[in-house]
Amino acid sequence: MIEYQRFLTKGSKPFNPLELAKETEDIVIKDDARKYTAFYCTGVYGGISTGYTVGCCLRCIFCWASPSRDFPEKYGFSVSPEEAYNRLMKNAIKRRVKRVRISGGEPTIGKNHLINLLEHLRKRDVLFILETNGILLGADDSYVNELRRFRNIHIRLCIKAGMEEGFESRTGAKGEFYKLPFIAVGRLVKTKIDFHVAAMTDKRIISKEERKKMLKELAKVGYNDWIEEETIAPYDMTIKRMRSAGMKLFNTLSQSD
Ligand code: SF4
């Protein structure tokens, strides 16, 4: 039996992110309920009601998500789409915010859960922000079409690398899958869904050459718009993951070691 992929270590072997998505789905999805760790409002996007999901199909070394990303069987509680909707709206109303999202893991894992949640939200005057790594939107050609039915959605697709080698060393997934997020961007461009691209382009881990290649790949699939460029933030979880993978970017942990 193949062991479930945890955080990266120096000796980690590259994995297939689509297989990891399936294995993760088997752990975090039961019928159409999904595991979450918490629901609350945060200040990003000018205030947004957020549900924090469990589970992802990548293992980015710069990821700040809680340990539930690596040990999904140990964390979280199961929530139906209706209950997720109720919790998101309750917090949104309480804090008077007009934006909601699910974050913390990869929200596209568990398609039925996401689509059913969106069905509930479509009757409300709120914007749903879908933050995704684009792996499943690139692999499943029907996914983007299903999302385009919803008018109150904005997608933030985050590109992790512009080259196979960078993708493999920083996400742990096999390099050959690095194109999937670009394929997803191409689909979003064609379907005219409201979206923008974010990209991890921190100079400390990505070369000028790779950044250039990333922009070239985006242009190739028809994206020439604004890019939200990300840098690595020194969260404790990020520092621990980077150290475990053999990369020392920050000298100390901010709170605890
Ligand atoms: S895709 Fe996002 S949630 Fe998943 S490992 Fe990378 S940074 Fe973390």
Side-chain angles (χ1 to χ4, degrees), residues 55-65 69 104-106 132-133 158 160 171 241:
C56 188
C57 52
L58 296 181
R59 292 293 178 263
C60 305
I61 55 171
F62 43 77
C63 180
W64 52 263
R69 185 203 75 172
E106 176 49 45
T132 177
N133 59 33
C158 188
K160 309 297 177 192
T171 70
R241 285 185 174 129

Short mmCIF file of all heavy atoms in Angstrom, two decimals, residues 55-65 69 104-106 132-133 158 160 171 241, ligand 1:
data_model
loop_
_atom_site.label_atom_id
_atom_site.label_comp_id
_atom_site.label_asym_id
_atom_site.label_seq_id
_atom_site.Cartn_x
_atom_site.Cartn_y
_atom_site.Cartn_z
N GLY A 55 -7.25 19.53 3.41
CA GLY A 55 -6.77 18.73 2.29
C GLY A 55 -6.38 19.47 1.04
O GLY A 55 -7.07 20.40 0.61
N CYS A 56 -5.24 19.07 0.45
CA CYS A 56 -4.75 19.65 -0.80
C CYS A 56 -4.06 18.57 -1.63
O CYS A 56 -3.69 17.51 -1.11
CB CYS A 56 -3.78 20.80 -0.52
SG CYS A 56 -3.34 21.71 -2.02
N CYS A 57 -3.88 18.86 -2.93
CA CYS A 57 -3.24 17.90 -3.84
C CYS A 57 -1.80 18.30 -4.15
O CYS A 57 -1.15 17.65 -4.96
CB CYS A 57 -4.05 17.76 -5.11
SG CYS A 57 -4.41 19.34 -5.90
N LEU A 58 -1.31 19.38 -3.53
CA LEU A 58 0.10 19.74 -3.65
C LEU A 58 0.71 19.80 -2.26
O LEU A 58 -0.01 19.80 -1.25
CB LEU A 58 0.26 21.11 -4.35
CG LEU A 58 -0.21 21.20 -5.80
CD1 LEU A 58 0.03 22.61 -6.36
CD2 LEU A 58 0.48 20.16 -6.69
N ARG A 59 2.03 19.89 -2.20
CA ARG A 59 2.74 19.98 -0.91
C ARG A 59 3.76 21.11 -0.98
O ARG A 59 4.95 20.91 -0.74
CB ARG A 59 3.45 18.63 -0.60
CG ARG A 59 2.51 17.49 -0.32
CD ARG A 59 1.74 17.70 0.98
NE ARG A 59 0.78 16.64 1.26
CZ ARG A 59 -0.52 16.71 0.98
NH1 ARG A 59 -1.03 17.78 0.39
NH2 ARG A 59 -1.33 15.72 1.31
N CYS A 60 3.29 22.31 -1.32
CA CYS A 60 4.19 23.45 -1.51
C CYS A 60 5.03 23.69 -0.25
O CYS A 60 4.49 23.69 0.86
CB CYS A 60 3.39 24.70 -1.83
SG CYS A 60 2.30 24.51 -3.25
N ILE A 61 6.30 23.94 -0.45
CA ILE A 61 7.18 24.15 0.71
C ILE A 61 6.92 25.49 1.38
O ILE A 61 7.24 25.69 2.54
CB ILE A 61 8.68 24.04 0.33
CG1 ILE A 61 9.02 25.01 -0.81
CG2 ILE A 61 9.05 22.62 -0.04
CD1 ILE A 61 10.51 25.11 -1.09
N PHE A 62 6.30 26.44 0.64
CA PHE A 62 6.03 27.77 1.21
C PHE A 62 4.62 27.88 1.76
O PHE A 62 4.15 28.97 2.08
CB PHE A 62 6.27 28.85 0.16
CG PHE A 62 5.71 28.49 -1.20
CD1 PHE A 62 4.35 28.59 -1.45
CD2 PHE A 62 6.55 28.04 -2.21
CE1 PHE A 62 3.84 28.24 -2.69
CE2 PHE A 62 6.04 27.68 -3.46
CZ PHE A 62 4.68 27.79 -3.70
N CYS A 63 3.91 26.76 1.85
CA CYS A 63 2.50 26.76 2.26
C CYS A 63 2.35 27.10 3.75
O CYS A 63 3.10 26.61 4.58
CB CYS A 63 1.91 25.38 1.99
SG CYS A 63 0.19 25.22 2.45
N TRP A 64 1.35 27.94 4.06
CA TRP A 64 1.11 28.33 5.45
C TRP A 64 -0.08 27.56 6.06
O TRP A 64 -0.41 27.77 7.23
CB TRP A 64 0.86 29.83 5.56
CG TRP A 64 -0.21 30.34 4.62
CD1 TRP A 64 0.01 30.92 3.39
CD2 TRP A 64 -1.63 30.28 4.77
NE1 TRP A 64 -1.20 31.23 2.80
CE2 TRP A 64 -2.22 30.86 3.63
CE3 TRP A 64 -2.47 29.82 5.79
CZ2 TRP A 64 -3.60 30.97 3.45
CZ3 TRP A 64 -3.86 29.92 5.62
CH2 TRP A 64 -4.40 30.50 4.46
N ALA A 65 -0.74 26.72 5.24
CA ALA A 65 -1.95 26.02 5.74
C ALA A 65 -1.61 25.19 6.97
O ALA A 65 -0.48 24.74 7.16
CB ALA A 65 -2.52 25.14 4.64
N ARG A 69 -3.36 19.98 6.31
CA ARG A 69 -3.00 19.70 4.92
C ARG A 69 -2.27 18.37 4.82
O ARG A 69 -2.49 17.59 3.88
CB ARG A 69 -2.08 20.82 4.39
CG ARG A 69 -1.75 20.68 2.92
CD ARG A 69 -0.47 21.41 2.53
NE ARG A 69 0.73 20.70 2.96
CZ ARG A 69 1.97 21.03 2.61
NH1 ARG A 69 2.18 22.09 1.84
NH2 ARG A 69 3.02 20.35 3.05
N GLY A 104 -7.69 27.55 2.88
CA GLY A 104 -6.97 26.68 3.82
C GLY A 104 -6.45 25.40 3.20
O GLY A 104 -5.42 24.88 3.58
N GLY A 105 -7.17 24.87 2.22
CA GLY A 105 -6.73 23.68 1.48
C GLY A 105 -7.05 23.95 0.02
O GLY A 105 -7.05 25.10 -0.41
N GLU A 106 -7.36 22.91 -0.75
CA GLU A 106 -7.73 23.11 -2.15
C GLU A 106 -9.24 22.93 -2.28
O GLU A 106 -9.75 21.81 -2.20
CB GLU A 106 -6.96 22.11 -3.03
CG GLU A 106 -7.34 22.15 -4.49
CD GLU A 106 -7.35 23.57 -5.10
OE1 GLU A 106 -6.43 24.35 -4.85
OE2 GLU A 106 -8.33 23.88 -5.80
N THR A 132 -7.73 28.79 -5.86
CA THR A 132 -7.36 27.44 -6.29
C THR A 132 -5.95 27.38 -6.86
O THR A 132 -5.43 28.38 -7.36
CB THR A 132 -8.37 26.93 -7.36
OG1 THR A 132 -7.95 25.64 -7.83
CG2 THR A 132 -8.48 27.87 -8.55
N ASN A 133 -5.37 26.18 -6.80
CA ASN A 133 -4.06 25.99 -7.44
C ASN A 133 -4.22 25.59 -8.91
O ASN A 133 -3.23 25.42 -9.62
CB ASN A 133 -3.21 24.96 -6.68
CG ASN A 133 -3.88 23.59 -6.58
OD1 ASN A 133 -4.62 23.17 -7.47
ND2 ASN A 133 -3.63 22.87 -5.49
N CYS A 158 -3.77 30.44 -8.47
CA CYS A 158 -2.38 30.70 -8.11
C CYS A 158 -1.41 29.73 -8.78
O CYS A 158 -1.48 28.52 -8.56
CB CYS A 158 -2.21 30.65 -6.59
SG CYS A 158 -0.56 31.21 -6.12
N LYS A 160 2.17 28.12 -9.28
CA LYS A 160 3.28 27.86 -8.34
C LYS A 160 4.65 27.86 -9.01
O LYS A 160 5.67 27.98 -8.33
CB LYS A 160 3.08 26.51 -7.64
CG LYS A 160 1.72 26.32 -7.02
CD LYS A 160 1.46 27.32 -5.92
CE LYS A 160 0.06 27.17 -5.34
NZ LYS A 160 -0.30 28.28 -4.48
N THR A 171 6.64 22.06 -5.14
CA THR A 171 5.31 21.53 -4.78
C THR A 171 5.37 20.05 -4.42
O THR A 171 4.42 19.51 -3.88
CB THR A 171 4.29 21.68 -5.93
OG1 THR A 171 4.65 20.76 -6.98
CG2 THR A 171 4.23 23.09 -6.47
N ARG A 241 7.99 23.86 7.17
CA ARG A 241 7.92 23.06 5.93
C ARG A 241 9.15 23.29 5.07
O ARG A 241 9.67 22.35 4.46
CB ARG A 241 6.64 23.43 5.16
CG ARG A 241 5.40 22.82 5.80
CD ARG A 241 4.14 23.07 4.98
NE ARG A 241 3.03 22.34 5.58
CZ ARG A 241 1.85 22.87 5.89
NH1 ARG A 241 1.61 24.13 5.62
NH2 ARG A 241 0.92 22.13 6.44
S1 SF4 B 1 -1.67 24.67 -3.32
FE1 SF4 B 1 -2.01 26.16 -1.66
S2 SF4 B 1 -2.89 24.95 0.02
FE2 SF4 B 1 -2.02 23.51 -1.43
S3 SF4 B 1 0.04 23.11 -0.68
FE3 SF4 B 1 0.21 24.77 -2.19
S4 SF4 B 1 0.07 26.66 -0.99
FE4 SF4 B 1 -0.69 25.00 0.33
#
